[in-house]
Amino acid sequence: MGRLRTGLVAFLLVGAGMTMAVAPGGTAVAAGSGKAATPPAAGCAAVDWGSLPKDSAVAWHKPLRDIRTGGHDCYDRVVFDLLGPGTGRPIGFHVRYVDQFQQDGSGDVIPVRGGAILEVRVAAPSYDPATMQRTYDGKAGQPLPEVDLGGYRTFQDTRFGASFEGDTQIAVGVRERLPFRVFQTGNHLVVDVAHSWRGFR
C-alpha cells in the first residue's frame, strides 16, 4: 500500500517511524501496515453520503502523480494526488457504482473482485500533456501500483482502466454497494467508502 505523505494537509501525522492517516475528527490509524489499525467504531456519525452517483463537471486536467489508500474506523479511503501547486481550483470527477467495469476508449470489460464495483473517473491524465511523459504508472486491467489492500474491511480490489481524453479511470472492488463521499483538499481528490450502512443514512 502506498504510504500517505505530507501533501495531504490536515490528514497526516508522522511519528515513531510510521505514517498515520488522521480523520477529520482526529482519529489516527496506521496507513502503512497493510492491516486495520483499530476495530470499527461503535458510533460512526450519521451523514448523508448515500450510494448514488456523484459528479463534478469541472475539468482542471493537472497530471496525476499518485493513487493511494488508507483505512479508518468507519470507512476505507482512496486518494488521487495531482501534480502542481495547490490553487484551490475544483477537480472534476465522476464516481458511481457500475455492474461491470468497461475500459474507456476500447470498451473492454475488466474483471474486478468484490460484491460491487465503484468506478472513479478523475480529470487528471496519467501523463503530462505538455511533454507526454508518464506521471503515473498504471497499466490497463492491472491492480494499482504499490497499493496493498490486505486488512481492509471494505476495499477488496483495485484496477486501472485507462487515461483517456484527459481523464483517468479506475475501479475499486468493494464488499458490497455501500455509501460513499467525494471531496477535495488542495491538489487531492478523496473518495471514502463506508464499512457499513450502520450509522450512515
Side-chain angles (χ1 to χ4, degrees):
M1 174 174 60
R3 286 181 176 268
L4 295 177
R5 292 187 292 268
T6 55
L8 187 53
V9 179
F11 287 83
L12 301 181
L13 174 68
V14 178
M18 180 178 291
T19 305
M20 307 291 286
V22 181
T27 302
V29 299
S33 64
K35 297 180 181 178
T38 56
C44 294
V47 292
D48 293 317
W49 290 10
S51 61
L52 295 178
K54 296 173 176 59
D55 302 278
S56 171
V58 177
W60 185 14
H61 292 300
K62 285 286 186 179
L64 179 68
R65 180 184 69 199
D66 196 13
I67 305 174
R68 52 202 170 84
T69 58
H72 184 274
D73 288 350
C74 300
Y75 51 79
D76 290 347
R77 166 171 291 176
V78 58
V79 181
F80 297 79
D81 297 324
L82 276 61
L83 285 169
T87 66
R89 294 179 59 186
I91 300 170
F93 61 85
H94 301 282
V95 184
R96 60 178 182 151
Y97 283 106
V98 295
D99 294 330
Q100 58 183 11
F101 184 48
Q102 292 184 275
Q103 184 185 39
D104 282 347
S106 71
D108 291 344
V109 175
I110 297 173
V112 182
R113 290 183 295 105
I117 302 170
L118 188 66
E119 180 183 67
V120 184
R121 286 188 173 91
V122 179
S126 62
Y127 56 88
D128 186 339
T131 64
M132 300 307 293
Q133 295 296 309
R134 182 183 292 267
T135 59
Y136 178 73
D137 195 28
K139 293 180 173 57
Q142 298 300 309
L144 300 180
E146 299 183 14
V147 169
D148 178 3
L149 299 182
Y152 280 66
R153 296 187 58 224
T154 293
F155 292 169
Q156 297 188 346
D157 196 11
T158 63
R159 296 289 157 173
F160 188 84
S163 195
F164 183 71
E165 294 185 348
D167 289 354
T168 292
Q169 172 206 32
I170 73 159
V172 180
V174 298
R175 194 178 67 255
E176 59 183 285
R177 190 172 291 222
L178 292 162
F180 67 93
R181 67 175 175 179
V182 185
F183 66 94
Q184 178 180 344
T185 175
N187 279 17
H188 314 276
L189 188 75
V190 180
V191 180
D192 292 333
V193 184
H195 293 322
S196 73
W197 284 94
R198 181 172 59 87
F200 291 84
R201 293 196 299 270

